[in-house]
Amino acid sequence: NGAEAQAKNIESGIVLENSNHKLAFDPKNARLLSLRAKVAPDQEFAISDDQIPVFVIQYLSRENQFLQIPSTAAKEVNVKPAEKTLTADFSGLGGLDLAATVTIRLADDDPLSHWSISIRNRANLLITDVQFPFVVVPYHLGGKVDSEALLQPFATGRFWEAPKPQDLEPDSPHAWQFRPENTDASHYPGLMFAQFLAYYNDLAGIYMSCQDDSGSIKLIKPVHNRAEGIRLGFAHVGDWPANGERDLGYDVVVRTFKGDWYDAAGLYRDWSLKQHWAANPLHQRKDVPDWLLDSPPHIIVRIQGELDFG
């Protein structure tokens, strides 16, 4: 069955681990095979499916049509494992002069795994976004029934308890395109006010975040993937050269945790407070007008109920 096939794949995979979690990758194409927390080693967070890519490059054709090139369309893949690092080079993507390098790094003294990607575009493609990494988690984990919960820091906050496929937007190319019907403020920085997603149950959780202090535009959201799981999706938008090379400029990090949504948010808060925008509290900043610091507080109590999300 599917579970037995996945177990065999994991046994033959490239394993990277630290004190927090253990990863396994396909040695042929660097596809994620397994993600397990050290606090709950029997619980699998990753769905392993041949159709799940390592990344997707989305671009506009000369006719201004959105098209996609997944990692599975590479002419050649060269996977190079090391003790705590995996590097994979993908060339001839889509039959074009287009290549990508993916790197995953771990360290014994760091609970995070660091994921990065660089794109070499010599095909004059107008790249709109690069979707990376691809982590698809099952709706049903290994703990208490219906203890799963999903957090997205969007608008006033979105929180799903025991999420189901009908609760989420389908994972389609349209979901990752800037179109009027997708609204004009759903990205980060915008209504998506923090750069992370969290999914957990009573045993353990997975936390994914972008460690970007520059405010680069991203689409970050959970979607229902055709592999019958939840894709914790990250699309990195804009400024990809039509003739040149660029990496993200920041890492996407993954770790596991024990607790609930508040603990996951605390992980992002701990990182945020170390960034330049939090160096000085509001009352010490020199760019804040006096009328704002001296203004009286306005308190609004908004009664939320069944008509609001959650």
Side-chain angles (χ1 to χ4, degrees):
N1 57 33
E4 291 176 348
Q6 182 171 9
K8 290 180 180 179
N9 286 337
I10 293 170
E11 289 179 5
S12 61
I14 298 168
V15 174
L16 301 177
E17 60 184 307
N18 57 21
S19 60
N20 178 266
H21 61 284
K22 183 177 181 179
L23 302 166
F25 298 91
D26 192 315
K28 300 186 299 295
N29 52 31
R31 177 171 56 89
L32 180 64
L33 299 177
S34 177
L35 195 165
R36 299 194 179 206
K38 290 297 182 73
V39 297
D42 295 329
Q43 176 167 281
E44 180 60 69
F45 277 105
I47 290 179
S48 177
D49 187 301
D50 291 339
Q51 301 303 310
I52 297 175
V54 178
F55 59 85
V56 167
I57 297 171
Q58 189 163 223
Y59 68 98
L60 284 175
S61 70
R62 293 180 180 178
E63 295 75 30
N64 284 331
Q65 299 295 314
F66 282 102
L67 298 172
Q68 297 78 35
I69 301 176
S71 64
T72 52
K75 182 178 180 181
E76 184 177 349
V77 182
N78 183 15
V79 181
K80 295 170 287 187
E83 182 181 359
K84 292 287 184 181
T85 305
L86 181 146
T87 303
D89 293 315
F90 300 80
S91 58
L93 287 159
L96 303 171
D97 192 357
L98 180 68
T101 296
V102 166
T103 305
I104 297 98
R105 296 176 288 105
L106 288 81
D108 288 329
D109 58 350
D110 184 356
L112 305 171
S113 54
H114 297 255
W115 305 55
S116 62
I117 187 170
S118 64
I119 304 295
R120 296 177 298 282
N121 179 13
R122 304 297 182 188
N124 295 312
L125 293 186
L126 181 58
I127 297 174
T128 60
D129 63 270
V130 175
Q131 300 167 40
F132 172 82
F134 262 72
V135 176
V136 181
V137 294
Y139 282 97
H140 304 292
L141 296 169
K144 183 179 177 182
V145 175
D146 290 340
S147 64
E148 292 85 3
L150 175 64
L151 173 66
Q152 181 191 22
F154 181 88
T156 55
R158 286 184 171 179
F159 182 69
W160 295 264
E161 293 181 288
K164 297 175 176 57
Q166 60 267 27
D167 296 332
L168 303 174
E169 179 183 3
D171 186 6
S172 66
H174 183 273
W176 306 99
Q177 297 166 4
F178 278 96
R179 294 174 177 270
E181 58 267 31
N182 284 348
T183 75
D184 60 356
S186 60
H187 54 278
Y188 173 90
L191 289 176
M192 187 70 183
F193 60 86
Q195 308 172 76
F196 77 94
L197 294 171
Y199 181 61
Y200 62 90
N201 69 348
D202 60 314
L203 298 179
I206 177 176
Y207 166 89
M208 296 180 63
S209 174
C210 296
Q211 291 193 330
D212 171 29
D213 65 357
S214 68
S216 297
I217 296 174
K218 308 169 190 71
L219 288 172
I220 304 173
K221 56 185 173 180
V223 290
H224 170 67
N225 189 268
R226 62 181 177 272
E228 292 304 310
I230 302 168
R231 175 181 163 198
L232 303 177
F234 290 75
H236 312 274
V237 180
D239 297 331
W240 296 97
N243 185 11
E245 182 174 351
R246 182 206 147 184
D247 63 16
L248 284 180
Y250 51 86
D251 289 338
V252 181
V253 297
V254 176
R255 65 162 290 168
T256 61
F257 68 96
K258 177 73 174 177
D260 59 15
W261 69 267
Y262 201 85
D263 297 285
L267 295 173
Y268 188 77
R269 183 178 189 272
D270 290 343
W271 174 80
S272 294
L273 290 178
K274 298 174 184 177
Q275 307 313 306
H276 62 83
W277 61 70
N280 296 310
L282 189 65
H283 71 276
Q284 291 182 0
R285 286 173 50 175
K286 304 302 182 183
D287 58 343
V288 181
D290 292 339
W291 62 263
L292 181 59
L293 294 177
D294 294 337
S295 63
H298 294 268
I299 299 172
I300 298 172
V301 178
R302 180 170 182 260
I303 308 302
Q304 290 189 230
E306 292 294 331
L307 295 180
D308 287 291
F309 196 98

